[in-house]
Amino acid sequence: MFNKKHLVLLASAGSLSLAGMATAQADTLEDTIERGAVQCGVSDGLPGFSAPDDDGNWQGLDVDVCRAVAAAVLGDADAVNYISLNAVERFTALQSGEVDVLSRNTTWTTTRDTTLGLNFTGVNFYDGQGFMVSRDLGITGADELDGASICIQSGTTTELNLADYFRANDMEFNPIVFDTSEQTVGGYQAGRCDVLTSDTSQLAALRIQLDDPSASMILSDVISKEPLGPVVRQGDDLWFNIVKWSLFAMINAEEYGVTSENAEEMLNSEDPNIARLLGQDGNYGEGMNLEADWAYNIISQVGNYAESFERNVGMDSPLEIERGVNALWNDGGFQYAPPIR
């Protein structure tokens, strides 16, 4: 999530020119192997997507992307160093090489994809911006929010979408801006605003952090497209392919019915799609400088996309988000991965 001040920040960075960064960071795979861990940029604590549990272990849908990359590259899904980043600093951390991949509920937009020296590697969650309100207000739709005070996080597409929506509908609002999601939900709970707006998945994560989650509701209105996914630096196509196909492997595994529990058994499958996926028929990791079992390591250690979705944000999680458009393409959703062949 981005606004114009980031361009000013980048322009003033001097040594952080986009061309220079792309050239300097063209050996991410080699650096990762030498380091023995993937440097993963995550949120500053968003349940379901990236947040540490009570034992300090990072978990979430975005975390699983980095775990998948580590499994593919290093054979160990736990070989990840997590760097917590807020919305303002996340792109600079990736551009400067502080992190190898940014997996932090980040929306794919034209500006981010074409002006920051970055590449989005896919979509691990299709989302949209919504609104959370107190049930006591009796509000049932976004068209009733004229004149509302709205809590919002800075440095995000949410700010721009909100302004567009209210202008298009000839309504006014009073923005109450915070630097982090934690501060934003804190402001909402303290009564500093009538409404909290963000991606609907983030609203679900923030709602369960309230003292009384049942007192608030997420409106059904969705006012934007927010395709969220991992990001890497431009100029390193090998690493770009690795991160991209690590996510694709999880999506294909769900389609073929390969799970963390049956991956070992599936090594004997006569289905050619499964044989290629698990490295039993050709080495489809060779073009990425990976071993033939790269996808097997991902699936056996992290799971397929459905497993990751359900335990982190789905109906088996506190967020209880339905698959909806994040279902597979052959089950009424958008999720679709190119074939491994």
Side-chain angles (χ1 to χ4, degrees), residues 49 60-69 250 302 308 311-312:
F49 288 85
L61 195 69
D62 289 336
V63 166
D64 279 350
V65 171
C66 290
R67 296 185 70 240
V69 173
M250 296 177 69
V302 183
S308 178
R311 70 169 171 259
N312 290 307

Side-chain angles (χ1 to χ4, degrees), residues 253-275:
E254 178 185 358
E255 182 175 343
Y256 302 147
V258 185
T259 70
S260 58
E261 294 184 355
N262 69 15
E264 183 73 24
E265 176 186 348
M266 287 291 192
L267 289 172
N268 300 316
S269 173
E270 296 183 0
D271 185 327
N273 291 308
I274 295 175

Side-chain angles (χ1 to χ4, degrees), residues 9-51:
L9 175 62
L10 293 177
S12 64
S15 61
L16 294 183
S17 69
L18 301 184
M21 286 185 292
T23 302
Q25 301 297 335
D27 298 312
T28 311
L29 175 60
E30 181 179 332
D31 293 342
T32 299
I33 293 173
E34 182 177 351
R35 185 191 308 119
V38 174
Q39 298 286 97
C40 177
V42 293
S43 72
D44 45 5
L46 184 64
F49 288 85
S50 53

